[in-house]
Every structure is written in C-alpha cells, then in structure tokens.
Amino acid sequence: MEALSPQTLFTGQQLVWLPECASTNTEAQLLVGQNRATDGCCVITDKQTAGRGQRGNQWEAAPGENLTLSVVWRPAFLPAADQFLLSQAVALAVHDWLTALLGSAPALRVKWPNDIFYGAQKLGGILIENTLSGAKIQHSVVGIGLNVNQQEFGVPTATSLGGLTGRAYQLGPLAARLLEALERRYLQLRAGRVQELRAAYLSVLYRFGEEHAYEAGGQPLRGRITGVDEAGRLAVATAGQVRYFDLKEIRYV
C-alpha cells in the first residue's frame, strides 16, 4: 500500500501496516492489551483472512483491492450508556468520505446501525468493539471495511466505489482521507455537539421516514423508521405504536 500521511492530530499518527492478518480488530486489541497502542493508533492490512462483521457475520474482501483497517480511540469523555453516539460519528465519517468521492448522492445511506449502502447494495461495514470500565468507555476499537476496487462479489447485494464510478483508486491516499474524516467527526463528538451528530445521522439514515416491510420475532411487520433512541435501538412506527428494536430483533425485508 502507498504511504499514508493523514493530516490529523492523532488519528493514524501511529500506523501499523500488516501485509496479512486474520482481523485488524483482533490485532488492534492485542496492541491495546500490550499497552502498545496510542490514542488514534491505526492497524491496516492488504489481506484480512477472518474479518468480523455485525451479527457474527464474516466480512469478505479481495486482497489488495479494498480498505480494511481498525482505529483505537480512548473516549473516556463518553459514558458507556451513550456509546451508540460513537457508532453514529463513525458512520457519518465514512459517509462524509464517500460523499467527497461520489458527490452528493441521495442513494448513499447509512443502514442502521452503521452499514454503508448505495441504493440497496452494501459498500462498507463497521464493527465497533468497546471495552468498558464501570460507567465509562476504557477504549474503542473501530473496525472498518470498505469496498474500493473489487469488481466481483459472491453476493449481488454488494458493490464498490470503483464499481460505481468506473475508476481504479490508490488505497493509501484514500485511507489518509478516511482517517481525517474519522477524526473530524470524533472531535465533533468530543466537543459535545451531540444534537448535530444525531440530526446528521437521521438525515442519511436508510429508509428513514419511509414505510417498508420488516421481520421481527419471526413475524412480518410493516412500519416506518422514525429514529434511533439513546441506547441505539431502532424506532419503528407500526400499527399505531412505536416499537424499539435491538440489532438482532429486527430484519430488513
């Protein structure tokens, strides 16, 4: 990968590049456990062999064609009860980064909780693993996988940046810009600009305000996403009431 030189205060200033690893999140956690990761440390690889996604899924990416990285932060300012705010900030940062590359694209959306979609196709995924100490977050490992140059996927519901634009991209400069976008949103969160973050998140939320079919508890459900509560649960208006769902409690149809 080309050299990275992000214009940041701390995010990505410690850079650990691995030609191959099982999971950048796992490697980042190991560095934290060894007290070798500074605040903002970034682990990045060309080939991830056992990447993890939401719901215990595996994240698959062709070697050398995509961005696969993890960032370590120490958001001691953020109460554990508000950890979904970090998820919102990260998802918005990735959306910001893609908007800079694609232009204003109404089809570019964040699918709750933090997958990145273009239309009905997935562009990227985010997995945040927080370690708590009492009511505070001790450290967070933010794993991000983004489809960049890959053209062929095993599922029809995936796409890539290059697939959308017809261009081939240098991964190093893209990674540097991504780290800058991440730090901007992280600093917004650290400054306490929470309402701005929440409003921005809803403005790009997939299916927000639209009526669609879902499945909950094995039963069909038709409803309209009205927001996300402070615990990160999805609010869906259905049958005259608003119901709240955790990650594994509702499925998009």
Side-chain angles (χ1 to χ4, degrees), residues 29-45:
Q29 294 282 17
L30 286 171
L31 289 172
V32 170
Q34 297 163 356
N35 202 29
R36 292 170 55 205
T38 61
D39 191 12
C41 172
C42 175
V43 178
I44 190 166
T45 188

Side-chain angles (χ1 to χ4, degrees), residues 126-212:
I126 297 163
L127 179 65
I128 301 176
E129 296 176 311
N130 295 316
T131 299
L132 308 181
S133 177
K136 295 289 186 182
I137 300 175
Q138 190 172 43
H139 67 266
S140 300
V141 174
V142 178
I144 301 174
L146 291 160
N147 300 329
V148 179
N149 291 320
Q150 188 171 339
Q151 296 292 331
E152 296 182 5
F153 296 91
V155 293
T157 52
T159 188
S160 67
L161 180 60
L164 293 172
T165 64
R167 290 181 52 192
Y169 293 87
Q170 288 186 302
L171 296 179
L174 281 193
R177 303 294 83 76
L178 176 60
L179 291 168
E180 292 162 8
L182 286 165
E183 185 168 278
R184 279 193 294 271
R185 286 294 186 179
Y186 183 75
L187 291 175
Q188 184 181 19
L189 176 60
R190 195 169 76 177
R193 292 158 56 192
V194 170
Q195 295 309 316
E196 290 178 44
L197 279 170
R198 287 194 171 120
Y201 181 81
L202 290 182
S203 74
V204 298
L205 186 61
Y206 180 65
R207 289 189 176 183
F208 180 67
E210 305 170 2
E211 188 165 313
H212 287 276

Side-chain angles (χ1 to χ4, degrees), residues 221-224 226 235-245:
L221 177 152
R222 190 158 188 89
R224 179 171 48 85
T226 60
V236 180
T238 178
Q241 62 175 322
V242 176
R243 295 174 60 184
Y244 294 87
F245 298 93

